[in-house]
Amino acid sequence: MSLWVFIALAAAGFQTIRFMLQKVLASVTLTPAGATFSRFVYSMPFIVGGLAAYLTFAERDLPALSARFWMFASIGAVSQILATICVVALFKQRNFAVGITFKKTEVIQTAIVGLLVLGDQISAAGWGAILLGLLAVLILSKPGGSDGVWHQHLTNRAAKLGLGSGVLFAFSAVSYRAASLQMAETEPMLRAAVTLAAVVSLQTIYMLIWLMWRDRSEIARVWQARRVAVWVGLTSLAGSFCWFWAFTLQNAAYVKAVGQIELLLSLCASILFFKEKISAREVLGMGVLGLSILLLVLTL
């Protein structure tokens, strides 16, 4: 089995733990924006410091970073900020496993984004998998005990947040791969580290400016929550590095497809850690979505 597969599996594991911690922060301490900011501000010192230490002891120079690199890094950074805010806000609407399942529509949406932006073609079987995924979203979009026709539930707040996060995560994954490929002469691990350091630095600056403008008191609350938030930063560091490393080795769509193991991990976390109940409808929806993703992977 290829190295990038194991790296993607590790990334999914770290990401599940990080979202669990962010759900706790958003539920009892911070706003979705504050929980998102904690991810970046507490991981940036470790990322930048680690990269600087490696370059110093290895006597290496920082690779040249072109304007195209910074363009893709900025697009990915902003997309990931907005996507993370959507997911954390979604946790307030639905249980943990359903929130992660909505997020995982990013695999299907990556195929659509690739078609629209890059002209990547999708086979008839691929379109079938996408339609099956849309059926799963319809099933999941209706909360338990609610009434009304199907399209009303597709446009509810939880569905909008989930689908929106999927689109934004799709754009961020493609952008990060594009940014790392601007350093084609550099080995994959160093490309991943440089891209990650640049992106997280941008995200920290962007979020700090936003919170200083809109909600300065949230910055103080992020500091007060540091005992939990620092672990958000560390798990984010580990997960992000694995994602970025995998993106340098393989197509982002394949990497994200392997990362669907996060669905099973989130289901376990929802039941065992958060003690949340999963309805039969939600289990059916997650199963159908998982099948659609599997079929899509087989057609790639």
Side-chain angles (χ1 to χ4, degrees), residues 103-256:
K103 171 193 169 296
K104 283 303 178 181
T105 59
E106 67 186 297
V107 175
I108 297 170
Q109 296 185 67
T110 297
I112 298 175
V113 170
L115 174 66
L116 297 177
V117 177
L118 303 176
D120 294 336
Q121 296 301 308
I122 302 175
S123 66
W127 282 116
I130 290 172
L131 292 176
L132 187 61
L134 293 178
L135 173 62
V137 171
L138 291 179
I139 296 172
L140 282 168
S141 64
K142 183 178 180 180
S146 61
D147 299 317
V149 295
W150 65 270
H151 61 79
Q152 292 177 331
H153 301 295
L154 188 59
T155 57
N156 64 28
R157 178 174 171 79
K160 288 179 180 178
L161 289 171
L163 295 175
S165 72
V167 171
L168 291 164
F169 274 123
F171 272 105
S172 68
V174 173
S175 298
Y176 292 156
R177 175 166 170 77
S180 69
L181 292 178
Q182 303 307 305
M183 300 175 284
E185 302 301 320
T186 306
E187 63 269 26
M189 283 190 65
L190 182 56
R191 272 190 281 161
V194 171
T195 305
L196 179 58
V199 166
V200 173
S201 296
L202 289 173
Q203 289 169 324
T204 302
I205 293 170
Y206 293 159
M207 289 294 301
L208 182 61
I209 293 173
W210 173 261
L211 289 175
M212 288 184 66
W213 176 42
R214 298 301 299 267
D215 190 2
R216 291 195 175 197
S217 61
E218 187 69 4
I219 299 174
R221 288 192 288 271
V222 169
W223 172 248
Q224 293 167 359
R226 61 188 177 277
R227 290 186 178 180
V228 175
V230 70
W231 292 106
V232 173
L234 289 172
T235 52
S236 176
L237 164 62
S240 295
F241 180 74
C242 289
W243 285 128
F244 280 56
W245 187 6
F247 290 152
T248 65
L249 299 172
Q250 184 55 270
N251 185 294
Y254 286 103
V255 173
K256 286 295 185 180

